[in-house]
Amino acid sequence: MCFLPSLKPSQIMTGLIFITCPSSPHNIKRLNLAFTLLRNWEYLDGASNYYLVTSRNAYELEVDPLNPALVPISLEDNAWTGASISDIESYMLDVSRVDEKQRPDTDAGLFLIIDGQGVTDGTAIILEHRYEEDEDADEVGAERVTGFNKVRVPWEEVNDIFVNLEIANMNFDEFCGGEEGDEDGWFEYESIGLDLSEENREAREVEIRRLREEGLID
């Protein structure tokens, strides 16, 4: 796998993330850990770069600033508690239709979900638009979105995968052993390892220890 040696903040768009698990104290502490591991420790000095989507109004993503979610995470007024993956997929397809040009600072075709299973096993689901040839289009070779490819990835490795997909440095199946997904778009993840220097790994661990001492994570 080829990772870019350096990235500028201007190259990184804000990632969208949905949380569907209940907002229990235990889950909040687990999510605090998740959002800490999701920070861009290698290229952006641990900057937070994921916006927590809490509304079901697709138009709000077009007008509101996408400020990254910071620890401690708040799930107050989270409209996605208990939602299914298909609910979120439908919503994100609506977001794409609201503004075909898309916001310049995010990509509605690439986002994350942390559900109840993810809180338990320390994974997030990465979803990316799935395209197929549009046989009804006038233009030869035209494609249309038919759904989403999906794969579960450990929190520690999510950001590397997300960024490489975001800047088109790799294709979805490249971190799934080159295998095709099933009919619902699910792939099986094959770990690519963590692209994190010892210095930045230590900086991340210092932050985790601080949050643990403050009782924000277990």
Side-chain angles (χ1 to χ4, degrees), residues 148-179:
F148 293 91
N149 292 323
K150 301 177 279 288
V151 66
R152 282 190 181 274
V153 177
W155 290 335
E156 282 191 331
E157 299 180 31
V158 165
N159 192 68
D160 281 350
I161 302 300
F162 192 93
V163 170
N164 276 273
L165 287 171
E166 181 180 77
I167 62 177
N169 194 46
M170 61 186 288
N171 296 321
F172 201 89
D173 62 355
E174 288 184 61
F175 56 90
C176 301
E179 300 293 331

PDB file of all heavy atoms in Angstrom, residues 148-179:
ATOM      1  N   PHE A 148     -23.747   1.788  -1.748  1.00  0.00           N
ATOM      2  CA  PHE A 148     -22.474   2.034  -1.076  1.00  0.00           C
ATOM      3  C   PHE A 148     -21.712   0.732  -0.859  1.00  0.00           C
ATOM      4  O   PHE A 148     -22.297  -0.296  -0.508  1.00  0.00           O
ATOM      5  CB  PHE A 148     -22.696   2.691   0.294  1.00  0.00           C
ATOM      6  CG  PHE A 148     -23.260   4.079   0.217  1.00  0.00           C
ATOM      7  CD1 PHE A 148     -24.626   4.298   0.239  1.00  0.00           C
ATOM      8  CD2 PHE A 148     -22.411   5.174   0.107  1.00  0.00           C
ATOM      9  CE1 PHE A 148     -25.148   5.577   0.168  1.00  0.00           C
ATOM     10  CE2 PHE A 148     -22.913   6.456   0.029  1.00  0.00           C
ATOM     11  CZ  PHE A 148     -24.287   6.667   0.051  1.00  0.00           C
ATOM     12  N   ASN A 149     -20.403   0.803  -1.061  1.00  0.00           N
ATOM     13  CA  ASN A 149     -19.516  -0.255  -0.596  1.00  0.00           C
ATOM     14  C   ASN A 149     -19.287  -0.031   0.900  1.00  0.00           C
ATOM     15  O   ASN A 149     -19.216   1.116   1.366  1.00  0.00           O
ATOM     16  CB  ASN A 149     -18.179  -0.213  -1.333  1.00  0.00           C
ATOM     17  CG  ASN A 149     -18.323  -0.572  -2.793  1.00  0.00           C
ATOM     18  OD1 ASN A 149     -19.114  -1.437  -3.153  1.00  0.00           O
ATOM     19  ND2 ASN A 149     -17.565   0.098  -3.648  1.00  0.00           N
ATOM     20  N   LYS A 150     -19.131  -1.123   1.659  1.00  0.00           N
ATOM     21  CA  LYS A 150     -19.032  -1.016   3.114  1.00  0.00           C
ATOM     22  C   LYS A 150     -17.992  -1.998   3.649  1.00  0.00           C
ATOM     23  O   LYS A 150     -17.900  -3.126   3.154  1.00  0.00           O
ATOM     24  CB  LYS A 150     -20.387  -1.337   3.770  1.00  0.00           C
ATOM     25  CG  LYS A 150     -21.515  -0.434   3.339  1.00  0.00           C
ATOM     26  CD  LYS A 150     -22.838  -0.848   3.961  1.00  0.00           C
ATOM     27  CE  LYS A 150     -23.499  -1.998   3.219  1.00  0.00           C
ATOM     28  NZ  LYS A 150     -24.036  -1.589   1.915  1.00  0.00           N
ATOM     29  N   VAL A 151     -17.255  -1.575   4.675  1.00  0.00           N
ATOM     30  CA  VAL A 151     -16.300  -2.466   5.321  1.00  0.00           C
ATOM     31  C   VAL A 151     -16.050  -1.989   6.746  1.00  0.00           C
ATOM     32  O   VAL A 151     -16.044  -0.787   7.017  1.00  0.00           O
ATOM     33  CB  VAL A 151     -14.966  -2.518   4.535  1.00  0.00           C
ATOM     34  CG1 VAL A 151     -14.245  -1.179   4.560  1.00  0.00           C
ATOM     35  CG2 VAL A 151     -14.068  -3.630   5.050  1.00  0.00           C
ATOM     36  N   ARG A 152     -15.886  -2.937   7.667  1.00  0.00           N
ATOM     37  CA  ARG A 152     -15.550  -2.606   9.058  1.00  0.00           C
ATOM     38  C   ARG A 152     -14.032  -2.572   9.220  1.00  0.00           C
ATOM     39  O   ARG A 152     -13.341  -3.498   8.806  1.00  0.00           O
ATOM     40  CB  ARG A 152     -16.124  -3.645  10.022  1.00  0.00           C
ATOM     41  CG  ARG A 152     -17.603  -3.481  10.287  1.00  0.00           C
ATOM     42  CD  ARG A 152     -18.058  -4.371  11.429  1.00  0.00           C
ATOM     43  NE  ARG A 152     -19.482  -4.203  11.645  1.00  0.00           N
ATOM     44  CZ  ARG A 152     -20.020  -3.263  12.402  1.00  0.00           C
ATOM     45  NH1 ARG A 152     -19.213  -2.411  13.046  1.00  0.00           N
ATOM     46  NH2 ARG A 152     -21.325  -3.155  12.534  1.00  0.00           N
ATOM     47  N   VAL A 153     -13.559  -1.511   9.876  1.00  0.00           N
ATOM     48  CA  VAL A 153     -12.124  -1.302  10.039  1.00  0.00           C
ATOM     49  C   VAL A 153     -11.852  -0.911  11.491  1.00  0.00           C
ATOM     50  O   VAL A 153     -12.593  -0.118  12.080  1.00  0.00           O
ATOM     51  CB  VAL A 153     -11.631  -0.184   9.091  1.00  0.00           C
ATOM     52  CG1 VAL A 153     -10.159   0.110   9.302  1.00  0.00           C
ATOM     53  CG2 VAL A 153     -11.897  -0.564   7.639  1.00  0.00           C
ATOM     54  N   PRO A 154     -10.779  -1.424  12.115  1.00  0.00           N
ATOM     55  CA  PRO A 154     -10.422  -1.009  13.474  1.00  0.00           C
ATOM     56  C   PRO A 154     -10.195   0.500  13.546  1.00  0.00           C
ATOM     57  O   PRO A 154      -9.654   1.102  12.614  1.00  0.00           O
ATOM     58  CB  PRO A 154      -9.113  -1.771  13.751  1.00  0.00           C
ATOM     59  CG  PRO A 154      -9.166  -2.952  12.833  1.00  0.00           C
ATOM     60  CD  PRO A 154      -9.865  -2.469  11.599  1.00  0.00           C
ATOM     61  N   TRP A 155     -10.603   1.102  14.656  1.00  0.00           N
ATOM     62  CA  TRP A 155     -10.494   2.548  14.806  1.00  0.00           C
ATOM     63  C   TRP A 155      -9.093   3.056  14.500  1.00  0.00           C
ATOM     64  O   TRP A 155      -8.936   4.095  13.859  1.00  0.00           O
ATOM     65  CB  TRP A 155     -10.856   2.953  16.248  1.00  0.00           C
ATOM     66  CG  TRP A 155     -12.308   2.782  16.576  1.00  0.00           C
ATOM     67  CD1 TRP A 155     -13.360   2.781  15.703  1.00  0.00           C
ATOM     68  CD2 TRP A 155     -12.868   2.594  17.882  1.00  0.00           C
ATOM     69  NE1 TRP A 155     -14.542   2.592  16.380  1.00  0.00           N
ATOM     70  CE2 TRP A 155     -14.270   2.478  17.716  1.00  0.00           C
ATOM     71  CE3 TRP A 155     -12.319   2.500  19.154  1.00  0.00           C
ATOM     72  CZ2 TRP A 155     -15.131   2.292  18.808  1.00  0.00           C
ATOM     73  CZ3 TRP A 155     -13.174   2.315  20.232  1.00  0.00           C
ATOM     74  CH2 TRP A 155     -14.558   2.216  20.057  1.00  0.00           C
ATOM     75  N   GLU A 156      -8.081   2.353  14.934  1.00  0.00           N
ATOM     76  CA  GLU A 156      -6.710   2.816  14.737  1.00  0.00           C
ATOM     77  C   GLU A 156      -6.343   2.969  13.269  1.00  0.00           C
ATOM     78  O   GLU A 156      -5.486   3.777  12.924  1.00  0.00           O
ATOM     79  CB  GLU A 156      -5.720   1.841  15.389  1.00  0.00           C
ATOM     80  CG  GLU A 156      -5.603   1.961  16.890  1.00  0.00           C
ATOM     81  CD  GLU A 156      -4.425   1.157  17.404  1.00  0.00           C
ATOM     82  OE1 GLU A 156      -4.077   0.145  16.772  1.00  0.00           O
ATOM     83  OE2 GLU A 156      -3.849   1.560  18.432  1.00  0.00           O
ATOM     84  N   GLU A 157      -6.964   2.189  12.389  1.00  0.00           N
ATOM     85  CA  GLU A 157      -6.579   2.170  10.984  1.00  0.00           C
ATOM     86  C   GLU A 157      -7.551   2.930  10.081  1.00  0.00           C
ATOM     87  O   GLU A 157      -7.304   3.079   8.887  1.00  0.00           O
ATOM     88  CB  GLU A 157      -6.446   0.714  10.515  1.00  0.00           C
ATOM     89  CG  GLU A 157      -5.388  -0.056  11.289  1.00  0.00           C
ATOM     90  CD  GLU A 157      -5.229  -1.496  10.837  1.00  0.00           C
ATOM     91  OE1 GLU A 157      -5.440  -1.777   9.640  1.00  0.00           O
ATOM     92  OE2 GLU A 157      -4.892  -2.349  11.682  1.00  0.00           O
ATOM     93  N   VAL A 158      -8.641   3.420  10.652  1.00  0.00           N
ATOM     94  CA  VAL A 158      -9.680   4.068   9.850  1.00  0.00           C
ATOM     95  C   VAL A 158      -9.164   5.303   9.125  1.00  0.00           C
ATOM     96  O   VAL A 158      -9.406   5.488   7.927  1.00  0.00           O
ATOM     97  CB  VAL A 158     -10.897   4.445  10.731  1.00  0.00           C
ATOM     98  CG1 VAL A 158     -11.810   5.427   9.999  1.00  0.00           C
ATOM     99  CG2 VAL A 158     -11.687   3.203  11.104  1.00  0.00           C
ATOM    100  N   ASN A 159      -8.462   6.189   9.833  1.00  0.00           N
ATOM    101  CA  ASN A 159      -8.094   7.462   9.217  1.00  0.00           C
ATOM    102  C   ASN A 159      -7.172   7.285   8.022  1.00  0.00           C
ATOM    103  O   ASN A 159      -7.314   7.985   7.008  1.00  0.00           O
ATOM    104  CB  ASN A 159      -7.436   8.390  10.243  1.00  0.00           C
ATOM    105  CG  ASN A 159      -7.303   9.803   9.714  1.00  0.00           C
ATOM    106  OD1 ASN A 159      -8.292  10.505   9.522  1.00  0.00           O
ATOM    107  ND2 ASN A 159      -6.080  10.229   9.461  1.00  0.00           N
ATOM    108  N   ASP A 160      -6.226   6.348   8.108  1.00  0.00           N
ATOM    109  CA  ASP A 160      -5.343   6.106   6.963  1.00  0.00           C
ATOM    110  C   ASP A 160      -6.149   5.667   5.741  1.00  0.00           C
ATOM    111  O   ASP A 160      -5.901   6.134   4.621  1.00  0.00           O
ATOM    112  CB  ASP A 160      -4.311   5.025   7.305  1.00  0.00           C
ATOM    113  CG  ASP A 160      -3.160   5.560   8.140  1.00  0.00           C
ATOM    114  OD1 ASP A 160      -3.069   6.789   8.296  1.00  0.00           O
ATOM    115  OD2 ASP A 160      -2.364   4.745   8.637  1.00  0.00           O
ATOM    116  N   ILE A 161      -7.094   4.756   5.954  1.00  0.00           N
ATOM    117  CA  ILE A 161      -7.924   4.283   4.842  1.00  0.00           C
ATOM    118  C   ILE A 161      -8.776   5.418   4.297  1.00  0.00           C
ATOM    119  O   ILE A 161      -8.861   5.633   3.082  1.00  0.00           O
ATOM    120  CB  ILE A 161      -8.839   3.124   5.290  1.00  0.00           C
ATOM    121  CG1 ILE A 161      -8.014   1.964   5.857  1.00  0.00           C
ATOM    122  CG2 ILE A 161      -9.710   2.654   4.134  1.00  0.00           C
ATOM    123  CD1 ILE A 161      -7.040   1.373   4.888  1.00  0.00           C
ATOM    124  N   PHE A 162      -9.408   6.158   5.195  1.00  0.00           N
ATOM    125  CA  PHE A 162     -10.308   7.233   4.796  1.00  0.00           C
ATOM    126  C   PHE A 162      -9.587   8.275   3.952  1.00  0.00           C
ATOM    127  O   PHE A 162     -10.072   8.679   2.887  1.00  0.00           O
ATOM    128  CB  PHE A 162     -10.909   7.887   6.042  1.00  0.00           C
ATOM    129  CG  PHE A 162     -12.063   8.808   5.756  1.00  0.00           C
ATOM    130  CD1 PHE A 162     -13.362   8.340   5.798  1.00  0.00           C
ATOM    131  CD2 PHE A 162     -11.848  10.142   5.447  1.00  0.00           C
ATOM    132  CE1 PHE A 162     -14.431   9.183   5.528  1.00  0.00           C
ATOM    133  CE2 PHE A 162     -12.907  10.991   5.176  1.00  0.00           C
ATOM    134  CZ  PHE A 162     -14.209  10.510   5.221  1.00  0.00           C
ATOM    135  N   VAL A 163      -8.414   8.711   4.413  1.00  0.00           N
ATOM    136  CA  VAL A 163      -7.667   9.745   3.695  1.00  0.00           C
ATOM    137  C   VAL A 163      -7.233   9.250   2.318  1.00  0.00           C
ATOM    138  O   VAL A 163      -7.327   9.978   1.324  1.00  0.00           O
ATOM    139  CB  VAL A 163      -6.452  10.209   4.513  1.00  0.00           C
ATOM    140  CG1 VAL A 163      -5.543  11.100   3.681  1.00  0.00           C
ATOM    141  CG2 VAL A 163      -6.908  10.955   5.761  1.00  0.00           C
ATOM    142  N   ASN A 164      -6.765   8.003   2.228  1.00  0.00           N
ATOM    143  CA  ASN A 164      -6.334   7.483   0.938  1.00  0.00           C
ATOM    144  C   ASN A 164      -7.495   7.343  -0.042  1.00  0.00           C
ATOM    145  O   ASN A 164      -7.318   7.559  -1.244  1.00  0.00           O
ATOM    146  CB  ASN A 164      -5.622   6.136   1.134  1.00  0.00           C
ATOM    147  CG  ASN A 164      -4.159   6.307   1.481  1.00  0.00           C
ATOM    148  OD1 ASN A 164      -3.305   6.408   0.618  1.00  0.00           O
ATOM    149  ND2 ASN A 164      -3.854   6.372   2.779  1.00  0.00           N
ATOM    150  N   LEU A 165      -8.662   7.007   0.449  1.00  0.00           N
ATOM    151  CA  LEU A 165      -9.843   6.984  -0.417  1.00  0.00           C
ATOM    152  C   LEU A 165     -10.233   8.402  -0.822  1.00  0.00           C
ATOM    153  O   LEU A 165     -10.577   8.663  -1.976  1.00  0.00           O
ATOM    154  CB  LEU A 165     -11.017   6.314   0.304  1.00  0.00           C
ATOM    155  CG  LEU A 165     -10.937   4.796   0.475  1.00  0.00           C
ATOM    156  CD1 LEU A 165     -12.053   4.314   1.401  1.00  0.00           C
ATOM    157  CD2 LEU A 165     -11.037   4.088  -0.871  1.00  0.00           C
ATOM    158  N   GLU A 166     -10.169   9.306   0.124  1.00  0.00           N
ATOM    159  CA  GLU A 166     -10.576  10.687  -0.096  1.00  0.00           C
ATOM    160  C   GLU A 166      -9.751  11.367  -1.189  1.00  0.00           C
ATOM    161  O   GLU A 166     -10.283  12.102  -2.029  1.00  0.00           O
ATOM    162  CB  GLU A 166     -10.446  11.456   1.216  1.00  0.00           C
ATOM    163  CG  GLU A 166     -10.865  12.907   1.164  1.00  0.00           C
ATOM    164  CD  GLU A 166     -10.681  13.532   2.534  1.00  0.00           C
ATOM    165  OE1 GLU A 166      -9.539  13.850   2.903  1.00  0.00           O
ATOM    166  OE2 GLU A 166     -11.691  13.689   3.233  1.00  0.00           O
ATOM    167  N   ILE A 167      -8.448  11.112  -1.213  1.00  0.00           N
ATOM    168  CA  ILE A 167      -7.580  11.763  -2.199  1.00  0.00           C
ATOM    169  C   ILE A 167      -7.334  10.850  -3.405  1.00  0.00           C
ATOM    170  O   ILE A 167      -6.459  11.119  -4.222  1.00  0.00           O
ATOM    171  CB  ILE A 167      -6.244  12.193  -1.566  1.00  0.00           C
ATOM    172  CG1 ILE A 167      -5.465  10.978  -1.045  1.00  0.00           C
ATOM    173  CG2 ILE A 167      -6.479  13.194  -0.454  1.00  0.00           C
ATOM    174  CD1 ILE A 167      -4.102  11.325  -0.473  1.00  0.00           C
ATOM    175  N   ALA A 168      -8.122   9.765  -3.485  1.00  0.00           N
ATOM    176  CA  ALA A 168      -8.046   8.830  -4.625  1.00  0.00           C
ATOM    177  C   ALA A 168      -6.655   8.228  -4.776  1.00  0.00           C
ATOM    178  O   ALA A 168      -6.176   8.017  -5.887  1.00  0.00           O
ATOM    179  CB  ALA A 168      -8.489   9.525  -5.914  1.00  0.00           C
ATOM    180  N   ASN A 169      -6.014   7.949  -3.647  1.00  0.00           N
ATOM    181  CA  ASN A 169      -4.704   7.317  -3.668  1.00  0.00           C
ATOM    182  C   ASN A 169      -4.814   5.797  -3.696  1.00  0.00           C
ATOM    183  O   ASN A 169      -3.822   5.105  -3.878  1.00  0.00           O
ATOM    184  CB  ASN A 169      -3.901   7.754  -2.433  1.00  0.00           C
ATOM    185  CG  ASN A 169      -2.427   7.410  -2.553  1.00  0.00           C
ATOM    186  OD1 ASN A 169      -1.817   7.657  -3.587  1.00  0.00           O
ATOM    187  ND2 ASN A 169      -1.864   6.841  -1.505  1.00  0.00           N
ATOM    188  N   MET A 170      -6.032   5.292  -3.497  1.00  0.00           N
ATOM    189  CA  MET A 170      -6.266   3.853  -3.519  1.00  0.00           C
ATOM    190  C   MET A 170      -7.733   3.595  -3.813  1.00  0.00           C
ATOM    191  O   MET A 170      -8.574   4.492  -3.689  1.00  0.00           O
ATOM    192  CB  MET A 170      -5.892   3.231  -2.172  1.00  0.00           C
ATOM    193  CG  MET A 170      -6.688   3.770  -1.011  1.00  0.00           C
ATOM    194  SD  MET A 170      -6.115   3.163   0.605  1.00  0.00           S
ATOM    195  CE  MET A 170      -6.691   1.479   0.524  1.00  0.00           C
ATOM    196  N   ASN A 171      -8.031   2.401  -4.261  1.00  0.00           N
ATOM    197  CA  ASN A 171      -9.408   1.988  -4.508  1.00  0.00           C
ATOM    198  C   ASN A 171      -9.928   1.175  -3.330  1.00  0.00           C
ATOM    199  O   ASN A 171      -9.161   0.596  -2.553  1.00  0.00           O
ATOM    200  CB  ASN A 171      -9.492   1.153  -5.788  1.00  0.00           C
ATOM    201  CG  ASN A 171      -9.122   1.951  -7.016  1.00  0.00           C
ATOM    202  OD1 ASN A 171      -9.478   3.124  -7.139  1.00  0.00           O
ATOM    203  ND2 ASN A 171      -8.400   1.328  -7.927  1.00  0.00           N
ATOM    204  N   PHE A 172     -11.242   1.091  -3.230  1.00  0.00           N
ATOM    205  CA  PHE A 172     -11.868   0.436  -2.088  1.00  0.00           C
ATOM    206  C   PHE A 172     -11.402  -1.005  -1.923  1.00  0.00           C
ATOM    207  O   PHE A 172     -11.101  -1.454  -0.815  1.00  0.00           O
ATOM    208  CB  PHE A 172     -13.391   0.481  -2.251  1.00  0.00           C
ATOM    209  CG  PHE A 172     -14.150   0.296  -0.974  1.00  0.00           C
ATOM    210  CD1 PHE A 172     -14.476   1.379  -0.179  1.00  0.00           C
ATOM    211  CD2 PHE A 172     -14.544  -0.970  -0.557  1.00  0.00           C
ATOM    212  CE1 PHE A 172     -15.179   1.213   1.009  1.00  0.00           C
ATOM    213  CE2 PHE A 172     -15.239  -1.152   0.626  1.00  0.00           C
ATOM    214  CZ  PHE A 172     -15.560  -0.054   1.412  1.00  0.00           C
ATOM    215  N   ASP A 173     -11.320  -1.741  -3.025  1.00  0.00           N
ATOM    216  CA  ASP A 173     -11.000  -3.166  -2.910  1.00  0.00           C
ATOM    217  C   ASP A 173      -9.531  -3.424  -2.618  1.00  0.00           C
ATOM    218  O   ASP A 173      -9.147  -4.543  -2.303  1.00  0.00           O
ATOM    219  CB  ASP A 173     -11.416  -3.923  -4.174  1.00  0.00           C
ATOM    220  CG  ASP A 173     -10.697  -3.448  -5.425  1.00  0.00           C
ATOM    221  OD1 ASP A 173      -9.930  -2.466  -5.345  1.00  0.00           O
ATOM    222  OD2 ASP A 173     -10.915  -4.059  -6.490  1.00  0.00           O
ATOM    223  N   GLU A 174      -8.686  -2.383  -2.667  1.00  0.00           N
ATOM    224  CA  GLU A 174      -7.257  -2.574  -2.433  1.00  0.00           C
ATOM    225  C   GLU A 174      -6.940  -2.923  -0.986  1.00  0.00           C
ATOM    226  O   GLU A 174      -5.902  -3.514  -0.691  1.00  0.00           O
ATOM    227  CB  GLU A 174      -6.477  -1.322  -2.840  1.00  0.00           C
ATOM    228  CG  GLU A 174      -6.395  -1.116  -4.349  1.00  0.00           C
ATOM    229  CD  GLU A 174      -5.530   0.067  -4.706  1.00  0.00           C
ATOM    230  OE1 GLU A 174      -4.327   0.047  -4.375  1.00  0.00           O
ATOM    231  OE2 GLU A 174      -6.040   1.024  -5.299  1.00  0.00           O
ATOM    232  N   PHE A 175      -7.805  -2.531  -0.046  1.00  0.00           N
ATOM    233  CA  PHE A 175      -7.572  -2.922   1.335  1.00  0.00           C
ATOM    234  C   PHE A 175      -8.533  -4.031   1.753  1.00  0.00           C
ATOM    235  O   PHE A 175      -8.763  -4.275   2.939  1.00  0.00           O
ATOM    236  CB  PHE A 175      -7.665  -1.716   2.286  1.00  0.00           C
ATOM    237  CG  PHE A 175      -8.955  -0.954   2.228  1.00  0.00           C
ATOM    238  CD1 PHE A 175     -10.007  -1.297   3.057  1.00  0.00           C
ATOM    239  CD2 PHE A 175      -9.100   0.113   1.368  1.00  0.00           C
ATOM    240  CE1 PHE A 175     -11.189  -0.576   3.026  1.00  0.00           C
ATOM    241  CE2 PHE A 175     -10.278   0.837   1.334  1.00  0.00           C
ATOM    242  CZ  PHE A 175     -11.322   0.489   2.163  1.00  0.00           C
ATOM    243  N   CYS A 176      -9.077  -4.710   0.764  1.00  0.00           N
ATOM    244  CA  CYS A 176      -9.952  -5.861   1.014  1.00  0.00           C
ATOM    245  C   CYS A 176      -9.455  -7.076   0.235  1.00  0.00           C
ATOM    246  O   CYS A 176     -10.235  -7.924  -0.212  1.00  0.00           O
ATOM    247  CB  CYS A 176     -11.389  -5.537   0.627  1.00  0.00           C
ATOM    248  SG  CYS A 176     -12.082  -4.129   1.523  1.00  0.00           S
ATOM    249  N   GLY A 177      -8.148  -7.120   0.022  1.00  0.00           N
ATOM    250  CA  GLY A 177      -7.546  -8.249  -0.658  1.00  0.00           C
ATOM    251  C   GLY A 177      -7.873  -8.347  -2.129  1.00  0.00           C
ATOM    252  O   GLY A 177      -7.670  -9.397  -2.750  1.00  0.00           O
ATOM    253  N   GLY A 178      -8.380  -7.267  -2.713  1.00  0.00           N
ATOM    254  CA  GLY A 178      -8.736  -7.281  -4.129  1.00  0.00           C
ATOM    255  C   GLY A 178     -10.005  -8.053  -4.418  1.00  0.00           C
ATOM    256  O   GLY A 178     -10.387  -8.214  -5.581  1.00  0.00           O
ATOM    257  N   GLU A 179     -10.680  -8.509  -3.359  1.00  0.00           N
ATOM    258  CA  GLU A 179     -11.895  -9.291  -3.543  1.00  0.00           C
ATOM    259  C   GLU A 179     -13.101  -8.382  -3.734  1.00  0.00           C
ATOM    260  O   GLU A 179     -13.135  -7.257  -3.248  1.00  0.00           O
ATOM    261  CB  GLU A 179     -12.130 -10.202  -2.328  1.00  0.00           C
ATOM    262  CG  GLU A 179     -11.006 -11.195  -2.059  1.00  0.00           C
ATOM    263  CD  GLU A 179     -10.889 -12.241  -3.145  1.00  0.00           C
ATOM    264  OE1 GLU A 179     -11.918 -12.561  -3.773  1.00  0.00           O
ATOM    265  OE2 GLU A 179      -9.768 -12.736  -3.370  1.00  0.00           O
TER     266      GLU A 179
END
